[in-house]
Amino acid sequence: MPKESSHDRAHRVAVIVDHGSNPFELGVATELFGLRRPELDRTWYDLILCTPEPAIRLATGFFTLTGVAGLDQVDAADTVIVPNRPDPEVPPSPAVLDAVRRAAARGARLVSFCTGAFTLAAAGVLDGRRATTHWRWAELFSTMFPAVKLEPDVLFVDDGNVLTAAGSAAALDLGLHIIRCDHGAEVANAVSRRLVFTAHRDGGQRQFIDQPVPPVADISLAPLLAWVRAELASPLTIADIAAHASMSQATLHRRFQAELGTTPLAWLTAERVALACRLLEAGEVRLDAVARHCGLGTATNLRIQLRRRTGLTPTDYRRRFSLASPG
């Protein structure tokens, strides 16, 4: 019989669960990659849980996981997820490290949530690569693994076939990013809507470390952001946005940094590119029309901004993610 092709089956995702693993992060992996999504009308992921022992007690001992596959199933996975380490200073089990190294050797995509970066680093697969972990453990991580290029301020890092998320909630950000890379922005947006979670959070961990809680009297930027999204086809400037919000540009900049961890211009450009992606996925072939509709102005600027944020040209993006293409 002919050998099975990767195009003939679902993308296999193996989640390694060890003693003390976080149930929330396990739930994130299950929700994003394990649940069937017939409304998307495309082949979804094939998720399997793998443990080094027959019975695994999750964090704080509230749950015990039994009856799942052993670590040998990691060897057949296209993506391997390592949720977290309850105590980063305690080394992962040798069996888990061996499974991770085998996956890395054959080119599988490796993903960690929160302190799971300690497991990837202990396996030696992060040396010389960019990664992140929870801000609380960043200093310890850098001390233990100086060969890793730690980025402590971001929500997640995509370093090719090795991806790391900063914390438990950032696992959702990274998971949606993976879905976006595999299936396109429209599908990722559909999943995020089902989760009632934003498809893309601007900013990084720093907004959760250094920024104080805004005063109760402060008004959220949400209504302003909704207005801007409805006006993306217009040639909006930062001055226009500030005027609509009845504040100075300096105040607008401070508010964006405080609430979103980014600048107004960076957020506006990201929203324009996201809209362009949705139009390309819907099959629009006229680049000038896409550029006008999302406010990027010209096809040249569209090409520049899309390549800067996705690494793809508009033509390549549409070919890869068009909803008319087979899933």
Side-chain angles (χ1 to χ4, degrees):
M1 295 181 63
K3 185 177 179 180
E4 180 185 39
S5 166
S6 60
H7 298 291
D8 298 330
R9 59 170 174 79
H11 184 103
R12 292 169 176 161
V13 178
V15 181
I16 298 178
V17 188
D18 205 352
H19 290 291
S21 285
N22 189 328
F24 178 85
E25 293 161 18
L26 179 57
V28 169
T30 303
E31 173 75 29
L32 291 176
F33 305 111
L35 296 188
R36 301 300 93 194
R37 300 193 180 277
E39 72 277 9
L40 298 179
D41 190 28
R42 63 179 56 215
T43 302
W44 203 238
Y45 301 90
D46 180 13
L47 181 136
I48 188 169
L49 305 182
C50 306
T51 60
E53 299 175 18
I56 294 294
R57 296 191 68 192
L58 301 185
T60 68
F62 287 135
F63 307 98
T64 299
L65 185 64
T66 61
V68 299
L71 292 180
D72 58 307
Q73 292 299 308
V74 173
D75 296 333
D78 303 297
T79 293
V80 178
I81 300 177
V82 181
N84 81 316
R85 294 292 308 147
D87 185 346
E89 296 186 89
V90 176
S93 70
V96 169
L97 293 179
D98 287 343
V100 172
R101 290 176 183 131
R102 292 196 306 271
R106 61 183 175 78
R109 180 167 60 189
L110 303 176
V111 178
S112 73
F113 295 158
C114 195
T115 52
F118 283 80
T119 297
L120 296 183
V125 302
L126 289 181
D127 288 354
R129 307 192 70 146
R130 298 164 48 244
T132 192
T133 191
H134 195 285
W135 58 264
R136 181 182 177 189
W137 303 106
E139 184 175 351
L140 174 64
F141 185 95
S142 294
T143 300
M144 293 177 64
F145 306 108
V148 181
K149 300 174 183 177
L150 187 69
E151 298 186 7
D153 293 338
V154 300
L155 294 176
F156 63 84
V157 168
D158 180 341
D159 194 56
N161 65 332
V162 181
L163 302 94
T164 50
S168 295
L172 281 166
D173 296 285
L174 178 54
L176 287 169
H177 170 73
I178 290 171
I179 292 172
R180 189 180 303 113
C181 291
D182 291 345
H183 296 283
E186 192 68 25
V187 170
N189 289 344
V191 174
S192 71
R193 286 193 294 270
R194 287 287 298 272
L195 292 171
V196 196
F197 186 80
T198 181
H200 175 76
R201 285 195 293 167
D202 290 299
Q205 291 194 81
R206 184 169 296 278
Q207 62 187 303
F208 303 108
I209 305 169
D210 295 337
Q211 301 297 333
V213 176
V216 173
D218 201 3
I219 300 174
S220 169
L221 285 173
L224 177 63
L225 302 184
W227 175 79
V228 174
R229 289 188 178 106
E231 299 292 331
L232 287 177
S234 304
L236 286 177
T237 65
I238 302 307
D240 295 331
I241 298 173
H244 182 82
S246 300
M247 65 179 71
S248 69
Q249 293 185 52
T251 299
L252 182 73
H253 191 278
R254 287 195 298 270
R255 290 283 302 277
F256 266 73
Q257 288 287 4
E259 295 189 31
L260 301 178
T262 190
T263 66
L265 181 59
W267 180 86
L268 177 61
T269 303
E271 289 294 315
R272 294 193 189 285
V273 172
L275 177 56
C277 288
R278 293 196 294 273
L279 292 171
L280 291 170
E281 290 170 16
E284 177 59 74
V285 298
R286 299 167 300 166
L287 298 189
D288 287 334
V290 172
R292 288 195 303 272
H293 193 79
C294 66
L296 289 173
T298 66
T300 299
N301 191 37
L302 169 63
R303 292 188 185 94
I304 292 171
Q305 297 298 336
L306 191 70
R307 182 180 286 275
R308 182 175 296 164
R309 285 163 175 78
T310 70
L312 299 172
T313 66
T315 299
D316 289 339
Y317 188 93
R318 184 173 57 245
R319 183 183 301 115
R320 181 173 179 181
F321 295 124
S322 173
L323 297 181
S325 301

